[in-house]
Amino acid sequence: MTEEKIIKLSSGYFMLILLILFIIGGITSLVNSVIPLFFIFLLLTITTLPGFFLVNPNTSKVILLFGKYIGTVKENGFYWANPLYRKKGISLRASNFDSERVKVNDKLGNPIMISTIAVWKVKDTFKAAFDVDNYENFVRVQSDAAVRKLASLYPYDNFEDDGKAEEITLRASVNEVSQALEEELSERLEMAGIEVLEARIGYLAYAQEIASAMLKRQQATAIIAARHKIVEGAVSMVEMAIDKLSEQNVVDLDEERKAAMVSNLMVVLCSDKDAAPIVNTGTLNH
């Protein structure tokens, strides 16, 4: 047997009635001093009692007979089976797993701290019971290995000064990274009969030794990007102002005064502080 086999066993209620009859018969035999009959009923009671077992909702019982796999009972209910059967319970409920934070290097070699959260459940009880030693520990170890591999495939973030734009990053591409992690975990846990319902990154940050430096880098990148937008807008506004003045003949500016006006406007528009204007009460020549 190399795969799961679903079996149905007899209901335990009929055997429960027989057990009650055996007990009543034993008590009656003891009261009437029929000792041989009492021992027969006692033996039947002791033999029948271990055969009862319960299967709760979203649980299962793996049935073994002297090391041989008989099958798996997944339908919940009250059952009776051969008293020699060994019954191993395996939960079919969905379970959460939150891995420990591990330090790994991303695609660019930066040390980061990362952890994963996975939702899984047992799909094949035969594989979970016999193909791995401990399927719960197997999930923990393989989840740790999967998140380490995932971190090495993608960079933590994109930086404009790198000159290389990555399509997928750990910080920004949440859906893509989660899908890749889920596929990697499903492939690793297939041999244990585990179905991965959901997998995603639970914690992501730069390692402590480079966190402050990377924060300054992110701030510098943001400042440069903002300044770039400000300069673009200022040049557009200055160009529009000069064109309007010339078009409507408001003032006739030579190249020197035009350059001075451009300089003043650029200072006013690009400065991060409010300008303090100086009112000229004389002529343009003074």
Side-chain angles (χ1 to χ4, degrees):
M1 184 69 64
T2 58
E3 59 183 14
E4 183 183 69
K5 177 183 177 183
I6 306 300
I7 60 173
K8 292 186 178 180
L9 300 176
S10 59
S11 175
Y13 294 105
F14 176 73
M15 293 303 299
L16 181 61
I17 295 173
L18 285 181
L19 178 64
I20 294 173
L21 293 177
F22 292 156
I23 295 174
I24 294 174
I27 294 174
T28 304
S29 301
L30 184 61
V31 171
N32 295 329
S33 299
V34 185
I35 302 303
L37 190 59
F38 166 76
F39 280 109
I40 292 174
F41 281 119
L42 179 62
L43 180 62
L44 289 173
T45 301
I46 295 174
T47 304
T48 304
L49 194 59
F52 294 101
F53 67 95
L54 285 171
V55 179
N56 296 317
N58 284 328
T59 61
S60 65
K61 292 290 184 180
V62 177
I63 308 299
L64 301 173
L65 178 61
F66 301 121
K68 181 182 178 181
Y69 175 68
I70 303 299
T72 301
V73 181
K74 287 187 174 181
E75 185 178 355
N76 60 295
F78 178 56
Y79 297 97
W80 185 89
N82 188 334
L84 297 179
Y85 283 166
R86 180 181 168 221
K87 310 163 192 74
K88 181 178 180 180
I90 294 181
S91 175
L92 302 179
R93 299 184 181 96
S95 300
N96 280 318
F97 171 70
D98 188 0
S99 69
E100 296 182 358
R101 297 175 184 177
V102 295
K103 182 188 291 187
V104 295
N105 292 333
D106 69 355
K107 185 178 179 179
L108 302 178
N110 298 318
I112 61 175
M113 300 296 296
I114 190 171
S115 69
T116 181
I117 296 176
V119 182
W120 59 275
K121 68 176 182 179
V122 175
K123 183 178 180 181
D124 190 315
T125 57
F126 180 86
K127 292 181 178 180
F130 305 113
D131 283 358
V132 294
D133 184 39
N134 184 324
Y135 67 89
E136 292 182 346
N137 184 65
F138 188 81
V139 171
R140 288 193 292 270
V141 174
Q142 293 301 321
S143 297
D144 182 76
V147 75
R148 288 178 181 272
K149 179 181 178 181
L150 180 79
S152 65
L153 295 177
Y154 306 108
Y156 179 94
D157 202 357
N158 273 328
F159 292 99
E160 294 183 1
D161 56 347
D162 286 339
K164 296 180 180 178
E166 296 286 345
E167 294 183 358
I168 300 177
T169 62
L170 296 174
R171 186 184 66 86
S173 307
V174 178
N175 294 332
E176 292 82 356
V177 171
S178 297
Q179 183 178 358
L181 179 60
E182 185 175 332
E183 291 175 356
E184 179 69 21
L185 267 177
S186 298
E187 182 179 351
R188 289 174 177 268
L189 299 179
E190 174 65 24
M191 66 175 297
I194 304 296
E195 179 184 4
V196 179
L197 303 178
E198 181 187 1
R200 57 186 174 85
I201 293 178
Y203 178 84
L204 180 64
Y206 281 112
Q208 186 176 2
E209 57 266 27
I210 68 166
S212 60
M214 299 308 290
L215 177 60
K216 292 179 180 178
R217 183 178 182 181
Q218 289 175 345
Q219 291 173 342
T221 302
I223 291 172
I224 292 172
R227 288 294 181 184
H228 182 74
K229 291 294 183 182
I230 291 173
V231 171
E232 284 185 349
V235 170
S236 176
M237 292 172 67
V238 169
E239 182 181 5
M240 180 179 64
I242 293 176
D243 290 342
K244 286 292 184 181
L245 289 172
S246 300
E247 180 182 345
Q248 298 181 9
N249 295 320
V250 175
V251 63
D252 187 15
L253 299 175
D254 58 20
E255 293 300 324
E256 182 179 352
R257 287 174 179 161
K258 189 182 293 185
M261 187 182 72
V262 169
S263 176
N264 292 334
L265 286 175
M266 289 296 294
V267 170
V268 171
L269 294 173
C270 294
S271 176
D272 57 353
K273 297 181 180 179
D274 294 335
I278 299 175
V279 179
N280 186 358
T281 58
T283 65
L284 292 175
N285 297 323
H286 295 88

